[in-house]
Amino acid sequence: MSSPKILLLDIGNTRIKWGVLFKGEIVETGAVTISEAKSSGFSSLIRSIPKDINKALASNVSSIKISTRLSAAIGASFGCDIEFVNRGLSSYGITTEYSEPRQLGIDRRIAMIGARAEFNGEIAIIDAGTAVTIDFVNKKGVHIGGQILPGLHLMLKELDDSTRNISTSGITEDILQREIDLWAKDTTSAVISGAYNALCGAIIRSVSDLRKMGFKPKVILTGGDARFLMNFLDKSYLYRPNLVLNGLASIAIGGD
């Protein structure tokens, strides 16, 4: 019997990222925005995925409505149901000190599984998406806690919504990728510099605090906005754009 091709789906607040797991490796990846997927009846997503899928495994932090509609689209197109992961961490050598473990987001749990599969030591995971999460797992596999703060685009939107003379509607991804001076000379650059400084300051302080306590974590950045932040952070930080997909792959392989 040939090896199955497993569709992996990371359903976030802004985007749906997908990957195809084949013979233990993620061989293809892609992404669409949630708004694009919904407006096309998920056809934009379905068209981008290879047709010979046998199974589907997903992480979802979006709405139940998205899960229902996406399940129907995947079932009609590929003839398989989506298994939505909602498991704890203990099966993968990780425990958490969260007082209410069920409140720990499924995407954060799966990102830890993906990071732990690659690195056995101390890990700090920064997921820069709609929100930015910072989590630390020690070398014994204990998640000692984390932080959640507004992401880059939430910061920009809040300034746009809450101030009279600051507009961020014209800030495109091309602008976000430009080199920005800390001490900006125009309002748009000042807004971007301030947002980067706030996010990077939180990350740098968190990693510095861990190091003061004697830890030496591998620092891993993931999420849609991580590529912007990498330009302002320590070059030793590692970039893993598909960390949740990697965690889903580990779960799929462990379940085979």
Side-chain angles (χ1 to χ4, degrees), residues 5 43 45-54 77-78:
K5 285 190 175 180
S43 63
L45 174 65
I46 298 299
R47 285 196 303 268
S48 67
I49 298 169
K51 300 306 177 189
D52 50 347
I53 297 300
N54 307 107
S77 300
F78 301 104

Side-chain angles (χ1 to χ4, degrees), residues 62-201:
S62 189
S63 67
I64 294 175
K65 187 175 181 180
I66 290 290
S67 296
T68 302
R69 292 181 63 189
L70 183 55
S71 294
I74 293 294
S77 300
F78 301 104
C80 62
D81 295 327
I82 301 176
E83 178 188 348
F84 288 93
V85 176
N86 191 20
R87 307 176 192 173
L89 293 162
S90 57
S91 298
Y92 304 93
I94 305 172
T95 58
T96 182
E97 292 186 350
Y98 241 48
S99 57
E100 295 289 342
R102 290 187 178 183
Q103 291 183 357
L104 183 62
I106 190 64
D107 55 336
R108 292 167 68 191
R109 283 183 258 166
I110 294 174
M112 287 183 226
I113 291 167
R116 190 73 174 172
E118 184 176 357
F119 304 102
N120 289 321
E122 298 159 349
I123 310 162
I125 301 166
I126 293 96
D127 190 339
T130 304
V132 173
T133 58
I134 306 173
D135 288 290
F136 176 62
V137 179
N138 68 19
K139 63 184 177 182
K140 294 181 179 179
V142 180
H143 169 241
I144 67 166
Q147 301 168 43
I148 304 173
L149 58 152
L152 175 62
H153 289 85
L154 278 180
M155 288 190 182
L156 298 179
K157 184 178 185 301
E158 183 59 28
L159 278 172
D160 196 278
D161 291 346
S162 301
T163 59
R164 178 176 296 178
N165 296 318
I166 297 177
S167 173
T168 63
S169 59
I171 298 178
T172 63
E173 292 208 354
D174 287 342
I175 294 173
L176 289 172
Q177 292 184 64
R178 293 176 191 169
E179 186 171 339
I180 301 289
D181 289 334
L182 181 63
W183 303 107
K185 303 297 190 290
D186 63 85
T187 299
T188 295
S189 297
V191 166
I192 296 170
S193 175
Y196 281 147
N197 202 36
L199 293 173
C200 292

Side-chain angles (χ1 to χ4, degrees), residues 1 36 67 121 251:
M1 183 178 175
E36 178 189 350
S67 296
I251 292 169

